[in-house]
Amino acid sequence: MSSRLVGVGVGPGDPELVTVKGVNALREADVVVVPVLDTGERGRAEATVLHYVPEEKIVRVVFALNERSDRARREAAWDAAGRRVAELLRGHGAVAFATIGDPNVYSTFTYLAQTIAELVPDTVVETVPGITAMQDLAARSGAVLTEGTEPLTLVPVTAGATVLKEALAGPGTVVAYKFGRQAHEVAEALRETGRIGDAVWGSALGLTEDSIRPASELDGTPLPYLSTLISPARRDGGRGGKL
């Protein structure tokens, strides 16, 4: 029988936000892989998974999660991680890979699945969707993501503040991921486009040290890397005005 690799979204950090299907997938897998930095500290995915499966079932695999400047180092780390997961698949029927958020939204799982398709081509790859940081932030801040015909644009600020500014110039809601290190540039973009008033941001969502604040309080101080921003669409047509 073919082995199975299941990418499981475990949400932004709060273990209560893992879906029932996600918990079942984690528990049914022979082993659960969690990505870690080469420094070895426990990440959000591992901390969340530990609420549902015993530690001895977890396999920590090093990924270059924060490597952006040295492509060769990043590729080498991905290749090594892929080989390790391929070994696990050859010895087990089902391997789960836990990723924060959703496995199909800016997730390391995407790259892993591509590597596994080359190394163990008969592997069946599946994903279990997870709650995203923008959904958690919207729920807890009261920010409505979309109404009527409004578009929703998701921008990783690692692509640059210019990309964010272009999105803010549009008509819909804009969500920015990974903006912590460019908090000053993000605040400037919001002010220049007149959209700082209703915007909110959150960091360390679901963790004990989480913070949710109005974007108007951004003072240029760098924030945690995994910070999320929501700038709601301009709404002046009353209830249902954009239907």
Side-chain angles (χ1 to χ4, degrees), residues 67-209:
E67 180 56 71
R68 298 191 177 277
S69 58
D70 190 336
R71 180 167 184 171
R73 178 178 177 274
R74 182 175 70 236
E75 295 281 355
W78 283 349
D79 288 343
R83 289 192 296 269
R84 178 69 180 106
V85 175
E87 291 175 3
L88 293 170
L89 285 164
R90 294 185 183 107
H92 300 279
V95 174
F97 180 91
T99 178
I100 59 170
D102 183 278
N104 294 301
V105 180
Y106 300 129
S107 170
T108 304
F109 181 75
T110 301
Y111 312 121
L112 175 64
Q114 293 171 359
T115 304
I116 293 302
E118 297 174 359
L119 297 178
V120 194
D122 61 340
T123 298
V124 176
V125 178
E126 304 171 356
T127 57
V128 177
I131 293 173
T132 61
M134 65 177 167
Q135 292 170 289
D136 189 20
L137 178 57
R140 296 174 61 195
S141 67
V144 176
L145 287 170
T146 55
E147 289 185 5
T149 57
E150 294 171 352
L152 172 65
T153 302
L154 176 59
V155 178
V157 182
T158 48
T162 299
V163 177
L164 173 62
K165 191 179 296 185
E166 291 173 353
L168 289 169
T173 293
V174 176
V175 176
Y177 274 3
K178 307 175 184 179
F179 82 92
R181 296 172 186 168
Q182 298 187 59
H184 177 70
E185 292 87 343
V186 167
E188 285 190 341
L190 287 166
R191 291 189 178 96
E192 289 176 17
T193 55
R195 296 188 60 166
I196 199 164
D198 296 329
V200 295
W201 65 269
S203 64
L205 294 171
L207 306 182
T208 55
E209 68 273 20

Side-chain angles (χ1 to χ4, degrees), residues 5-20:
L5 175 64
V6 186
V8 181
V10 297
D14 182 349
E16 292 186 344
L17 292 182
V18 185
T19 66
V20 173

